[in-house]
Amino acid sequence: FLFWHKRYKLSYNLSFMELKEKVVLITGSSLGIGKASAIEFAKEGAKVVVTYNSHKKDAEKVLKECKKLTDAIMIQLDVTKMDSIKNCVEKTIDEFGAIDVLVNNAGVLVEKNLLEQSFDEIKFGLDVNLTGLINMTKIVLPYMLEEEGIIINIASVAGKRVKWPDVSIYTASKFGVRGFTQCMAKEYEGKNIRFYAVNPGGTATQMNNFDGISPEKVAKVIVKTAKENLGKKSGDDVDVPDYL
């Protein structure tokens, strides 16, 4: 499984990450923030991996937009299944030879009082938002170790302060995403991989009943995070409202 393509090595301390020709894999990129991010990275000349779980037609539209601007491929990905994660990463490496930027964006929200949620709903929320993100990171990391990589975990302002009821599992998962990001930064301190937690507020996506700021504005912050020109260090939060 760990088949390596040698490429040029980059220096560790980059004030600005040049995204042109970099390979960017975005989980959950058929809709919402993921879709907007795929197109925004394509505008930068990055090679984009568009992934989808069930919204294939939407993903095909995103792929078409990306391919007008850059090289791009589309891969089916269910972050709750290890075989699907491994298949996605292997196909990306086979096609592009590397993964320079991973954006762990896939997420779900069940808006119910805890007592109203089934155990299956609780497990699904944690599997997509947190466990899947961790597993995706674990599978991608070996391909980044010999070169340079950036991992951007999409958390939420709900993972920093509790403002709403009936989203306990979502909130817990996003607190977990931020904690995972901070710990990974410690584990890889001094290495050539950096980790960031991007925290959107209310965003006009299907998950949020299309109420809030545009996904395109969030995507621009995600791209700036990947460029590393926001003055942040590995493990830091990037709170989207601060950049609007």
Side-chain angles (χ1 to χ4, degrees):
F1 170 53
L2 294 180
F3 179 68
W4 194 262
H5 291 248
K6 293 290 184 183
R7 305 199 317 160
Y8 57 87
K9 201 153 182 111
L10 300 174
S11 61
Y12 173 68
N13 291 315
L14 292 178
S15 298
F16 300 96
M17 170 67 80
E18 173 59 55
L19 293 175
K20 187 174 177 60
E21 299 297 317
K22 297 296 186 293
V23 180
V24 181
L25 194 166
I26 307 167
T27 68
S29 43
S30 59
L31 298 168
I33 292 172
K35 168 187 174 179
S37 297
I39 294 170
E40 201 66 31
F41 276 107
K43 290 177 181 176
E44 296 288 331
K47 298 176 181 179
V48 178
V49 182
V50 177
T51 70
Y52 71 96
N53 184 10
S54 56
H55 296 93
K56 184 176 181 179
K57 289 185 178 179
D58 293 301
E60 288 172 343
K61 293 177 183 177
V62 178
L63 178 67
K64 184 177 180 180
E65 288 301 307
C66 289
K67 291 187 81 168
K68 292 177 182 177
L69 302 162
T70 188
D71 290 339
I73 59 173
M74 182 181 79
I75 303 174
Q76 196 276 337
L77 170 64
D78 182 346
V79 297
T80 69
K81 294 180 169 59
M82 284 301 302
D83 286 347
S84 183
I85 291 173
K86 290 177 180 177
N87 177 67
C88 177
V89 173
E90 286 175 343
K91 284 186 175 180
T92 300
I93 296 299
D94 287 345
E95 181 70 24
F96 292 132
I99 299 172
D100 299 298
V101 179
L102 170 65
V103 181
N104 281 312
N105 167 74
V108 294
L109 169 65
V110 176
E111 191 169 356
K112 289 182 183 179
N113 182 280
L114 181 62
L115 291 178
E116 296 173 348
Q117 294 189 52
S118 69
F119 286 108
D120 285 342
E121 286 175 322
I122 292 169
K123 184 177 185 301
F124 182 64
L126 293 174
D127 282 351
V128 174
N129 294 350
L130 183 56
T131 306
L133 178 149
I134 292 170
N135 290 339
M136 194 79 200
T137 300
K138 179 177 173 62
I139 297 300
V140 167
L141 271 173
Y143 293 102
M144 291 184 168
L145 279 173
E146 292 187 20
E147 301 197 19
E148 186 162 24
I150 294 173
I151 296 179
I152 298 173
N153 296 322
I154 307 304
S156 171
V157 296
K160 296 191 72 176
R161 54 190 178 274
V162 179
K163 297 182 66 175
W164 305 281
D166 300 330
V167 289
S168 56
I169 303 307
Y170 179 82
T171 298
S173 70
K174 295 304 183 179
F175 267 86
V177 168
R178 293 184 56 248
F180 175 70
T181 303
Q182 292 170 25
C183 190
M184 291 303 293
K186 292 293 185 184
E187 286 186 19
Y188 286 86
E189 190 171 6
K191 304 290 186 181
N192 54 358
I193 304 174
R194 276 90 67 200
F195 302 81
Y196 302 97
V198 172
N199 304 311
T203 307
T205 64
Q206 188 175 26
M207 181 187 294
N208 203 43
N209 295 318
F210 300 101
D211 182 30
I213 66 169
S214 73
E216 289 74 21
K217 289 183 178 179
V218 179
K220 289 181 185 299
V221 176
I222 292 170
V223 168
K224 287 178 180 179
T225 302
K227 287 182 173 181
E228 299 191 296
N229 62 3
L230 295 177
K232 297 289 185 176
K233 66 180 185 300
S234 184
D236 279 355
D237 287 298
V238 177
D239 296 336
V240 172
D242 291 346
Y243 299 94
L244 300 178

